[in-house]
Structure formats: C-alpha cells, structure tokens
Amino acid sequence: MSLLSSGACRRPWASLWLAVAMLASAPASAAADTALVRYLATERARAPSPVLPRGVLLQRGSIIDIRLSPDGRRVAWLRERGEHQELWLHVVADREPRRLLADTAAQALDWSHDGRWLLLRSARDLQAIAVAGQGGSGRIAALGDGSATAMLDVDHSQPAAVLLVEREGTVAAPRAWRLVRVDMRGRRTVVWQDRQRIVDALLRDDGTVAWLQRVEADRLAIVAIDRAVATQVVRHDPSRRCALRGIAADGSAWVRTDVDGDLARVARLSREGRLHDVHADPDRVADVDSIIEDPVDRRPRFVAYRSTAATLHALDRDDAAHLAVLRSKLAGGDLALQLGVGREARWLVEASSPQNPLRRWHLYDPASRTLSTLLEETPVDRRGGSAAVVVPEASLARPLPLTWKASDGRALHGFLWLPPGRDAAELPLVVVPHGGPWNHWKPEYRSLSQLLANRGYAVFEPNFRGSTGHGRDYVLAAGADFGNGRVQRDITDGTRWLLAQGVGDPDRVGIAGASFGGYSALLGVTFTPDLFKVAVATVPPPDFGWVLRWVLRNPEALDIGGAVSMETWLRGQGIDVADAQAMARLHAQSPLANVDRLQRPVLLVAGGEDRRVGLAGVVEYAARLELANKEVALLVDAQAGHDGGSPIAREARAYLIEAMLHRELGGMPPASPDPELRRYLRRNLRLPGALAP
C-alpha cells in the first residue's frame, strides 16, 4: 500500500465516509461544519511554517506558581532555575523584584489573609515567611502521608493563619478528623472535630465554623453549623460536585455545583438547602473551569469556561468594564485574574495562548485602568538552563474546537490542529486521545500537537464521552464501556467523520496518547487496523481493569487529599472493580488479551517510577508482542514517573514519535539526535525495533 496515494484514489472512500457522517448528523452540526470549512480555508491560506527545532516546541516555562497578595501590593513567584527552585518577591512600589530564597522545595504559594506572610507548601511541610513588618520564617506544620495532615485553605477569618485537616488513626481505620487552625508561629487551635471525614469548611468572621463538607457513608454531605449544631443541607453521590467557595452576606454559601443539574455552575446554597443559580455557561456546553473570587469577602466576581473556548465572564457591571479594558489591551489571549482589594491595589493578569508555551503576567491598575508588564516566563531547556529561542506564535497551529455526532447520535467535542499553508486533505492524520479517562482537552498549548502540526500532520484531539468539562451526563454516558466499546467507537467515529470532511489522508492515519490515551491507541491498532496504521502509547495500561485494581492497592488511592476512596468514586462513575464479570469483560477487550490480533507497529514508553500504570504490565505486554513476532519498540526510563520524567526524557519520546510516524505514515523525518540524546536512547531503548538511533 503506497504511503503517497493520490487524491483520486482516496476520493471513493472519502465519499463513503461522508455519506455515513451525513446520515449520523443532525442540523445542529451545521454551524460546526461551516466553522470547519472556514477554518480549512483560512489555515490553507496562511504562510507555511518554518520547521522549528524540536526543543523549541517542547520547551516549558520556568514559573511553578505565582500569587498576588490580597491587598494587591505584592507578587511572589516560584521559579525553576537548573536543579533549584527560587522564591522571588515583587513589591508594586519598587522597580525591581528581589530573590528571597535561592533554593526551596516548595511547590505552591499562598498569602495570609492580611498579606503580611507568605506561605510555602511542599509535599512534606508548610513554611511561613514574613514579608512585611516584624517576623521571621519557619516551619509551621508537617504535611503529607506521614503526618496525616493536609492544608485546606488560608483562614479568611484571621489576619494570619491557615486551616489544616488532620486524621486521627490510620488511613484504613481513622478514628476522628479535626479541623485545626495554625498561626504563623505554629500555634494550634482545634476548630472542629468530627467522626466523619472533613472535606471542606467555611468560617464566619468570628472564626467559628459556618459550613462543613464531610463524607457520610460514602456520600458527600454539606452541613450548616449554628452554635455547634450541624444540620444537613445537601447530601449527594460522589459523582456529583458541590464545592464550598465562600459565605455570602446573608449567610448562604457560594458553591460550584452540578447538583440538581448537568453542567457545573456557580450557585448560592441557602441554609434551607435551596440552590440559586448565579452563573452557568451561556452556550450550555461547558462546565465552570474556575471561579475568581474577591480576596476579602470571597464573593464570585469572574467565572471562566475552558472546555471548548476560553471565555471569561464578569458578574457585575464594574468588573465587566475592567474586563473590556483588559481584552482590548490583551486581545486574543486566555486571561486568568488574581484580584487585589484596597487602596492602590493591583490585579495580576496572566495571559496565555495555545500558540505559545510560555505565559506572561501583567499588573492592572483598576483606578487608572492602565496595564504594565510584570513578568514573562523564561523557557527552560533540557539541561535546566534558559533557552534562547522564542516560539513564533504566527507560525504555530491554531486549534479549532469541533462538534460532531457519534454513530448513536450523541454530540461530541474535540479539537483540530492543522499546519499553516497546507491542504488538509493531503496530510497524514494523527489522533490523540487524552489521558484519564476522566479529563479533557482544553484550548491551551500542547507541545505534542504543536510538534506534530509543525512536522506536517493534522492532529485530532477527541473529547470522547466519559470526558469531563461537558457536564455530568457527558461523563456518565460512557457507561463504564472503556474496553473496545462505546468510548473507543467515539474516537473512531470522530476520526472517520473528520476524514469525511476532507481532513487527512485515509491511508495515513495514526493514533498516539499517554496513560488512558495510550490504552486507547493500543485499542485502535488492535481492533481497527483498517483505520489506524500505527500506535504510540506512552505509560499505557495494557489492561485497564487490571490497572484500576492495581491502583486501588496503592496507598495513594486512600490519600488524605481526596474526598472519598477511589473505589467509591469509581462506583459513582459506573465501575465496580469488585464485579468479576465486568472486569473479565474489560480484560477480554484489552490489548493485553488480544496480542494475536495486532497487525500494526507499536511504540511503547514506560517509567520505572510510575505509580499509576505499573511498569511490569507494560513490559509484560511488550514481551508478549515480541514473542508473537509483532513489530514493537519499547523505551523504559527507570527514573521516570507517570508524568514522563526529565526534559531529556520528554525530548527522547518526541524524537521516537517523529521517527515512528515518519516511518509508518510518510511524515517528515526527525532531526538527528545530538550526542546526549543518542546516549539516552541507547541506554533506555530496551526494544529498539526499527528505531535504533
């Protein structure tokens, strides 16, 4: 079969798929199809992109976390530099920022309510640093598995304190749960004690508990507390969400919830249990992504949605006017805000783009409505230093949100990335399912999709049913059918629909993904080899049911940070790992149980420190493929976890993906690896297949 089939040879198959797609479509898809036609024409008319170095497209920013103080006068950030993480502070009244710490293990920052203390959280502890007035610094609490303690929030009822949740007893047999206030000197006060697991809490101005969320018999409950008496207000299945956000002026609670509805929305929960909607997606397709609150009274002021398009909505007239100013000055970006309140307060405005891996931060003065640049991320190269090359945004792919109909009529969503200046029908197509599966693609920068588009591939990212971001019904519609069933058909339906629209060469279609996306890639080449010609699977579970049971044996599944046990949560999604028949069905449909059916080449990538997908399962699957004389390549990095590991590990994966797709789909050949990358590949490529460097 030729990798360079002519358009005339492809046309009969495209016509057939187009007919199928038209039969499955409804008038509601007409607008999406029109948008796709415009997008294809616009992208084809753009100037072709230069071939960019692999490292440029894979670069990541150096900022780990950044926080504005509640009074809007200070900004602190954690920055990666080489093997160290630095803490920086910028006082708005000063011209230059200053470095507070040259090396810290902190991964997240918070400010005390009065803005005088900076809180540094790591996996092991919580530290406080005085940045205004008298004070010092020091460890105020131990965190993590060994301490059975987790930070819940800053205590908004006190000038300078935090709220911790502590467990008494073991993970498997807790005796009690405590809500504890800790001040900046480490002094502790028990605010509430409960026999049920405490998930969240809201405190009144006098420091007493007004609202509490806890686990009750594998369900989540929100209780209102008055004079130490708890009254249940809402009790719901853990598959639903009702997150406490703040206390309204009348004593009701601001919540992010999908209780009594489908899409997650902002609502106000009365003490009588009534929900009053405040804001939901005007297009009725997306869950709330984030809520931007007033740092003093915690009322919602802005609501963001990012399931299809990045949109930000202001909840009052004054904030809407400020948002209009920001949009006029930062057109086309995805804006995230942190608000300061008070005299001379500033707002911190983060601007990001699907066409730039690096973010920028600005300070906005609401009084003068002026904007000034604060900080631009420094790219980090594979050696941990600063990379000098800046990504040219105009040369990169621009994702298009898609909506199409599955073969059973359900409307589904996803994204398409095309290389500028190319005829979409002539391109090899790579399908990239997301991981999770309880996750979703957002309109944001993704290095793999940009890399593939820059190399001349069309990239399709389906948000199959079971994905989050589009409502509870969208998630539960998967029906736990995560084998070669309904979820996988969503991916193949979307691929065939896209081919029928004139996107991609039907003879040159590959599938690539990580975690559940890697599992889906293996399912694709195992059960639909007529469609998918090659698979790349990074940290993939070869048997999804087996991996679920393996994770449940891991203490992380009962970690204090979660609301309910993972087993309970899975049952809320329709998956019962104790159901032998259901697990047997998943196994029978797994890539591991169907090695003999595989006809296409596979690239596997695994990590020795992966705590979600065990290395042994991936190695066993690779060994079975090798014994069955299947075409397989395997890369194992003993130091890498589920997230992929070091920068050089990320570049090695990208190189192998380029090489595999070039070999099987006729795409652009990869640039030769430099000596460091070549040594890494020789050391970690356990089964090189045809990909030996």
Side-chain angles (χ1 to χ4, degrees):
M1 178 178 59
S2 172
L3 292 175
L4 301 175
S5 303
S6 69
C9 292
R10 292 195 307 272
R11 207 173 306 279
W13 292 102
S15 299
L16 174 60
W17 279 320
L18 177 60
V20 173
M22 290 177 65
L23 286 172
S25 299
S29 66
D33 293 347
T34 301
L36 176 59
V37 170
R38 288 198 301 266
Y39 173 76
L40 298 180
T42 300
E43 296 307 292
R44 184 173 183 178
R46 290 175 64 194
S49 298
V51 178
L52 298 170
R54 188 165 46 240
V56 170
L57 294 164
L58 296 177
Q59 66 183 322
R60 53 192 172 85
S62 58
I63 302 300
I64 299 168
D65 196 12
I66 184 168
R67 296 289 170 179
L68 177 73
S69 63
D71 62 7
R73 296 185 179 188
R74 301 176 183 87
V75 183
W77 60 88
L78 291 168
R79 184 173 71 179
E80 180 180 353
R81 183 180 290 275
E83 297 181 356
H84 304 285
Q85 293 173 185
E86 302 173 336
L87 174 64
W88 286 78
L89 177 69
H90 175 71
V91 179
V92 173
D94 297 342
R95 296 192 58 170
E96 298 294 334
R98 58 191 174 97
R99 189 174 68 180
L100 296 183
L101 296 175
D103 191 12
T104 175
Q107 295 291 326
L109 297 174
D110 293 283
W111 287 94
S112 63
H113 191 54
D114 62 6
R116 300 173 67 86
W117 293 82
L118 192 56
L119 299 159
L120 284 70
R121 280 183 288 149
S122 71
R124 296 185 176 183
D125 62 19
L126 178 65
Q127 297 192 20
I129 298 177
V131 296
Q134 299 295 319
S137 63
R139 186 190 202 202
I140 64 173
L143 302 176
D145 294 338
S147 67
T149 303
M151 179 173 167
L152 182 63
D153 199 356
V154 170
D155 188 344
H156 292 264
S157 72
Q158 306 293 314
V162 298
L163 295 173
L164 307 179
V165 174
E166 294 183 345
R167 182 191 66 240
E168 180 182 324
T170 65
V171 174
R175 293 188 297 272
W177 298 85
R178 291 186 293 269
L179 181 65
V180 180
R181 174 183 296 121
V182 180
D183 69 14
M184 299 300 101
R185 305 298 181 188
R187 292 185 290 259
R188 298 160 44 86
T189 304
V190 177
V191 180
W192 184 267
Q193 183 157 320
D194 209 294
R195 297 184 64 183
Q196 310 296 332
R197 182 173 188 161
I198 298 171
V199 176
D200 204 352
L202 297 175
L203 273 59
R204 299 181 182 88
D205 290 341
D206 64 4
T208 60
V209 180
W211 293 86
L212 192 74
Q213 186 175 41
R214 63 191 183 189
V215 179
E216 295 183 356
D218 290 341
R219 297 179 75 84
L220 289 172
I222 292 179
V223 297
I225 298 175
D226 188 18
R227 298 179 183 178
V229 176
T231 303
Q232 183 175 289
V233 175
V234 173
R235 190 168 184 264
H236 60 89
D237 185 277
S239 66
R240 289 195 177 273
R241 293 161 287 181
C242 195
L244 296 170
R245 303 293 300 199
I247 302 177
D250 64 356
S252 59
W254 303 111
V255 295
R256 177 184 182 270
T257 185
D258 62 3
V259 171
D260 295 337
D262 180 27
L263 294 172
R265 62 201 187 279
V266 181
R268 188 167 47 81
L269 175 64
S270 74
R271 299 179 79 82
E272 294 74 38
R274 290 190 293 273
L275 283 166
H276 305 274
D277 289 355
V278 175
H279 202 275
D281 178 24
D283 295 328
R284 299 182 180 180
V285 297
D287 287 327
V288 169
D289 183 77
S290 62
I291 303 170
I292 300 166
E293 300 156 354
D294 188 286
V296 175
D297 63 22
R298 302 195 70 183
R299 62 186 168 88
R301 291 177 58 180
F302 296 87
V303 183
Y305 302 88
R306 293 186 177 91
S307 298
T308 52
T311 60
L312 187 61
H313 300 265
L315 299 188
D316 67 36
R317 183 177 300 178
D318 288 343
D319 283 341
H322 290 305
L323 182 56
V325 172
L326 293 173
R327 283 175 172 158
S328 69
K329 295 178 181 293
L330 299 169
D334 180 5
L335 304 182
L337 309 178
Q338 295 182 41
L339 309 179
V341 173
R343 185 179 178 185
E344 300 179 359
R346 301 294 194 271
W347 294 3
L348 181 65
V349 183
E350 176 186 311
S352 60
S353 166
Q355 294 174 268
N356 194 332
L358 307 178
R359 297 164 294 173
R360 299 181 179 90
W361 287 272
H362 308 267
L363 288 174
Y364 175 67
D365 183 354
S368 63
R369 300 194 175 186
T370 57
L371 193 71
S372 60
T373 300
L374 169 68
L375 180 66
E376 185 169 346
E377 263 191 312
T378 303
V380 178
D381 65 17
R382 85 159 77 127
R383 296 170 183 85
S386 296
V389 181
V390 176
V391 176
E393 292 191 27
S395 297
L396 295 188
R398 300 185 293 200
L400 173 75
L402 296 172
T403 299
W404 73 95
K405 290 292 183 70
S407 53
D408 65 351
R410 172 173 284 275
L412 299 171
H413 306 283
F415 293 92
L416 173 65
W417 307 66
L418 290 180
R422 302 288 297 275
D423 181 356
E426 302 294 329
L427 302 174
L429 173 65
V430 181
V431 180
V432 185
H434 61 72
W438 301 283
N439 201 343
H440 66 283
W441 292 128
K442 298 180 182 181
E444 60 192 9
Y445 186 89
R446 280 186 284 281
S447 57
L448 177 60
S449 295
Q450 286 289 7
L451 174 68
L452 293 177
N454 188 258
R455 300 310 189 246
Y457 297 92
V459 181
F460 172 45
E461 300 174 333
N463 279 333
F464 43 83
R465 76 191 71 192
S467 302
T468 56
H470 293 285
R472 183 172 181 268
D473 180 61
Y474 200 93
V475 174
L476 297 182
D481 198 2
F482 291 108
N484 183 39
R486 183 63 261 176
V487 170
Q488 190 66 19
R489 283 198 297 276
D490 284 352
I491 296 168
T492 56
D493 286 349
T495 304
R496 296 188 192 279
W497 172 82
L498 200 58
L499 290 166
Q501 310 307 306
V503 177
D505 179 346
D507 290 333
R508 297 192 291 162
V509 180
I511 184 167
S515 193
F516 182 85
Y519 169 73
S520 177
L522 297 178
L523 287 175
V525 289
T526 300
F527 294 103
T528 49
D530 60 315
L531 180 61
F532 299 114
K533 308 305 188 293
V534 61
V536 175
T538 301
V539 293
D543 183 334
F544 187 56
W546 184 91
V547 164
L548 289 178
R549 293 192 297 272
W550 181 80
V551 170
L552 287 173
R553 293 194 295 270
N554 190 322
E556 291 180 4
L558 294 171
D559 185 71
I560 191 171
V564 296
S565 71
M566 184 176 174
E567 189 170 2
T568 298
W569 187 86
L570 285 172
R571 283 199 298 269
Q573 311 306 310
I575 298 177
D576 185 355
V577 295
D579 185 336
Q581 185 176 0
M583 293 299 103
R585 184 168 59 252
L586 274 177
H587 172 71
Q589 297 177 355
S590 70
L592 185 65
N594 290 276
V595 165
D596 291 342
R597 298 186 60 157
L598 184 68
Q599 303 174 28
R600 300 298 185 184
V602 168
L603 167 63
L604 301 172
V605 179
E609 295 298 321
D610 195 335
R611 295 294 179 265
R612 296 187 185 179
V613 175
L615 174 61
V618 182
V619 171
E620 178 191 358
Y621 177 64
R624 290 193 186 187
L625 293 177
E626 181 80 356
L627 289 172
N629 294 316
K630 305 297 182 179
E631 191 171 344
V632 57
L634 171 66
L635 178 85
V636 176
D637 185 332
Q639 307 302 316
H642 196 68
D643 63 353
S646 64
I648 194 169
R650 296 173 63 242
E651 185 168 352
R653 290 200 310 270
Y655 167 79
L656 292 175
I657 291 171
E658 286 187 87
M660 191 74 163
L661 297 181
H662 160 65
R663 182 173 178 270
E664 301 301 328
L665 302 183
M668 185 180 298
S672 298
D674 63 20
E676 183 185 6
L677 182 56
R678 193 178 297 274
R679 286 192 297 271
Y680 175 91
L681 291 168
R682 287 174 176 168
R683 187 169 62 250
N684 296 291
L685 200 54
R686 306 294 176 85
L687 293 176
L691 300 179

